[in-house]
């Protein structure tokens, strides 16, 4: 009977573990207060500025406010600190939204999760981080979601290709890292990739290697087919490839003395059969392909805690953005969440990103419709102006002719005047 309380204790311990913890959340819904939570790096002097903005179009003017990159072709480096934690024994969920409303050419939309010993004022591209996650676009060639883990001091990129969104709307990016060394990547609350950390990154050397001691036996016959030893070349096989044209005739006006001895041109021999080769038969001594035996790799050590980071304490935006054409707005980051509860993250995604995205789309479509109308009207006006200009030109031509006549008359008058003035001019 003592087992019951013990069981209850175990259950309640498990439920405590399963309790969800929000390590950090940032929604930029308190005006300028975010500036006290975010630290700009001073590693370089010319970082681009982040501004608080919902952008050109949005679903909710307040809720959709986020950090926007506001200058082109710049590096950006800002970070925010929270209470240091370890993801040991728990899922780790990183989630945020990215909107490239400027139709980005080249630039990052990812976050970096740092250990708490990061010096935020000196954060830069080479600062050691734990995880880098999020979309990265550069030209038509690079449109991927980075999932980079620092493992024992080295950064490892995922072996799989995860495509990111490249339109101008807000998208929700979620990374889940589980304590059983599995992971999941979601975009817009839908799973786009998942698997095992060990399989999809090269954290560990391979488990098995080819046995360096093993060698293919000298007498191993791995020829599946061989030439038939009994096949013989037929006696009448060999024929010349080219023969003198049997239909050619010496021209009547051929002069042997002048032109040399006449020879018919060569043509392809229809009886020519090419090089003879014996036919192929199954090799009776074939042993199959030799397979190099594998052994356990002595370099390999299993690690059941690949997923684990002892210290997570800062989230950073450390990126650069390019745009050839100068525009005045950029990528917007919003709805940051770091938690141990994938379900909570999904719910938060539903309550934030999913709630405003339809309105965002409608607003953009309305703007595009208005722009289209304005363009059409401008074009129409331009066409009318052009037509008027042509009409005026024709009128102008008539006027010009008249003016020319008048000018001629004036010149004649001037000449007369000049005649009276000239002696004075000479004296001067
Ligand atoms: C989020 O929304 C989707 C679609 O409406 C729904 O299927 C899912 O259960 C929701 N998730 C949570 C955790 O509420």
């Amino acid at each position: 009977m003592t087992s019951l309380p013990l069981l209850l204790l175990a259950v309640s311990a498990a439920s405590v573990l399963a309790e969800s913890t929000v390590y950090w959340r940032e929604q930029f819904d308190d005006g300028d207060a975010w500036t006290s939570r975010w630290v700009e790096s001073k590693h370089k002097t010319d970082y681009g500025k982040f501004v608080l903005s919902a952008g050109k179009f949005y679903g909710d003017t307040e809720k959709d406010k986020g950090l926007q990159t506001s200058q082109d072709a710049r590096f950006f480096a800002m970070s925010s600190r929270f209470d240091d934690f370890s993801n040991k024994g728990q899922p780790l969920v990183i989630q945020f939204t990215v909107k490239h409303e400027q139709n980005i050419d080249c630039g990052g939309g990812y976050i970096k999760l740092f250990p708490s010993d990061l010096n935020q004022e000196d954060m830069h591209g080479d600062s050691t981080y734990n995880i880098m996650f999020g979309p990265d676009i550069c030209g038509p060639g690079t449109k991927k979601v980075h999932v980079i883990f620092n493992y024992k001091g080295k950064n490892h990129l995922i072996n799989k290709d995860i495509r990111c969104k490249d339109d101008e709307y807000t998208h929700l990016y979620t990374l889940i890292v589980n304590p059983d060394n599995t992971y999941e990547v979601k975009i817009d609350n839908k799973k786009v990739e998942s698997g095992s950390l060990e399989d999809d990154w090269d954290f560990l050397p391979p488990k098995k290697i080819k046995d360096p001691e093993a060698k293919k036996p000298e007498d191993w016959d791995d020829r599946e087919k061989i030439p038939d030893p009994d096949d013989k070349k037929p006696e009448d096989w060999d024929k010349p490839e080219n023969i003198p044209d049997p239909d050619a005739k010496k021209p009547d006006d051929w002069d042997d003395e002048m032109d040399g001895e006449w020879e018919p041109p060569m043509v392809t021999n229809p009886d020519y059969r090419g090089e003879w080769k014996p036919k192929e038969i199954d090799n009776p001594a074939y042993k199959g392909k030799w397979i190099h035996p594998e052994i356990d790799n002595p370099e390999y050590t299993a690690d059941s805690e690949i997923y684990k980071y002892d210290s997570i304490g800062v989230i950073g935006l450390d990126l650069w953005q390019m745009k050839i054409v100068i525009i005045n707005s950029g990528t917007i980051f919003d709805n940051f969440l770091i938690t141990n509860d994938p379900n909570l993250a999904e719910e938060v995604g539903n309550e934030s990103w999913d709630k405003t995205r339809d309105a965002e789309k409608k607003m953009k479509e309305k703007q595009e419709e208005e722009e289209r109308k304005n363009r059409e009207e401008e074009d129409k006006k331009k066409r009318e102006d052009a037509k008027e200009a042509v009409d005026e030109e024709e009128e102008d031509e008539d006027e010009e002719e008249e003016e020319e006549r008048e000018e001629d008359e004036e010149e004649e008058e001037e000449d007369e005047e000049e005649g009276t003035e000239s002696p004075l001019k000479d004296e001067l």
Side-chain angles (χ1 to χ4, degrees), residues 138-149:
C138 205
T142 302
K143 290 181 178 186
K144 62 176 166 191
V145 179
H146 278 299
V147 191
I148 304 176
F149 290 105

Side-chain angles (χ1 to χ4, degrees), residues 67-132:
L67 277 193
Q68 182 172 44
T69 56
S70 72
Q71 285 158 302
D72 300 313
R74 287 295 185 99
F75 287 88
F76 295 84
M78 271 220 304
S79 61
S80 188
R81 187 176 285 281
F82 42 85
D83 286 344
D84 184 37
F85 73 95
S86 167
N87 63 329
K88 182 176 165 66
Q90 308 212 20
L92 172 64
V93 186
I94 307 161
Q95 181 169 282
F96 60 100
T97 57
V98 185
K99 174 165 75 159
H100 292 307
E101 69 170 18
Q102 76 278 38
N103 190 5
I104 196 164
D105 283 337
C106 187
Y110 40 78
I111 61 95
K112 287 178 177 177
L113 215 53
F114 294 92
S116 63
D117 64 5
L118 174 83
N119 175 1
Q120 289 178 268
E121 300 222 322
D122 191 43
M123 183 184 81
H124 57 91
D126 291 328
S127 301
T128 301
Y129 60 83
N130 295 328
I131 298 174
M132 176 173 137

